[in-house]
Amino acid sequence: MAVNPILLSLFTEQAVQKNRVTNITISKSTITIQLEAEVASHYERPDCQRPVAVHLHDSETILVQGLGVQGRAVRYSVKMQRVAYVNDAGTFVTFTAPLAGLRTDLLVTEEVVERAMYFLVDRNQSLPTTMEILRELYQVETSKSALERWKTAEAEKLPSVGEIVQGLNEKKR
């Protein structure tokens, strides 16, 4: 099904811009966008010396929350495509084709996590306030404990104080 490119251009989240949109359904309260990964014919894999040819293995569909627009919740119905290959050791291996802009582990888009971190860290809002802002402004349903897990996961990606000091010392040289 062809998706109207003008309608598609209204959605700025990476999930829409970098994956294949197969359908958009608009109801009174929700915009549902169906997404699929662009599956390449070859992938570089850590257990193979050269890019390896893959074939489709199986798939499942998950629902991911995006930033709501115009008072409507945005939900992505995402077809997670598993692909398979045989590695250099002769072992059959599967993995999920990558989907840009989605945090499938959290069932939200990258922009939802970024917005939550903005309110929690940059604006120093409390967990309950951030939860309410996400719900009221963007129609994102989450919990305080989920927000705490997101914050912890994002913090773990940052360099430690020792790594920052080491980096600054290297710049002095």
Side-chain angles (χ1 to χ4, degrees):
M1 168 181 248
V3 177
N4 182 328
I6 295 170
L7 179 62
L8 200 55
S9 70
L10 298 175
F11 298 97
T12 59
E13 286 188 297
Q14 291 179 46
V16 172
Q17 300 301 318
K18 295 186 177 184
N19 298 299
R20 184 173 27 168
V21 176
T22 58
N23 192 19
I24 299 176
T25 307
I26 302 173
S27 73
K28 191 172 186 172
S29 62
T30 307
I31 299 170
T32 304
I33 302 170
Q34 293 180 345
L35 292 179
E36 291 181 3
E38 295 285 347
V39 178
S41 62
H42 290 74
Y43 284 92
E44 289 188 22
R45 300 301 297 166
D47 53 352
C48 297
Q49 290 184 357
R50 292 183 297 239
V52 63
V54 299
H55 64 276
L56 299 179
H57 183 64
D58 64 4
S59 66
E60 71 172 306
T61 301
I62 63 171
L63 193 62
V64 174
Q65 296 186 88
L67 292 175
V69 293
Q70 296 184 348
R72 289 188 173 109
V74 172
R75 301 295 182 255
Y76 295 98
S77 177
V78 182
K79 183 178 181 182
M80 303 285 294
Q81 185 65 58
R82 294 196 56 78
V83 294
Y85 66 97
V86 176
N87 69 12
D88 289 349
T91 305
F92 179 79
V93 180
T94 64
F95 69 95
T96 302
L99 287 149
L102 296 174
R103 293 289 301 268
T104 56
D105 57 330
L106 304 176
L107 300 177
V108 294
T109 62
E110 288 286 348
E111 286 85 355
V112 169
V113 174
E114 288 171 8
R115 198 62 47 101
M117 293 307 105
Y118 168 75
F119 289 118
L120 288 170
V121 178
D122 295 349
R123 303 297 298 165
N124 198 27
Q125 298 293 326
S126 67
L127 292 168
T129 301
T130 299
M131 186 179 77
E132 186 176 328
I133 291 170
L134 290 174
R135 183 179 60 246
E136 295 297 321
L137 291 180
Y138 305 109
Q139 291 71 47
V140 172
E141 296 294 331
T142 189
S143 65
K144 293 181 285 189
S145 60
L147 289 173
E148 182 65 36
R149 286 192 304 273
W150 298 1
K151 186 170 84 171
T152 301
E154 293 301 304
E156 288 172 353
K157 293 178 187 176
L158 298 173
S160 68
V161 173
E163 291 168 332
I164 292 171
V165 169
Q166 184 179 8
L168 290 172
N169 286 336
E170 288 175 8
K171 281 186 177 183
K172 278 185 171 180
R173 295 177 193 167

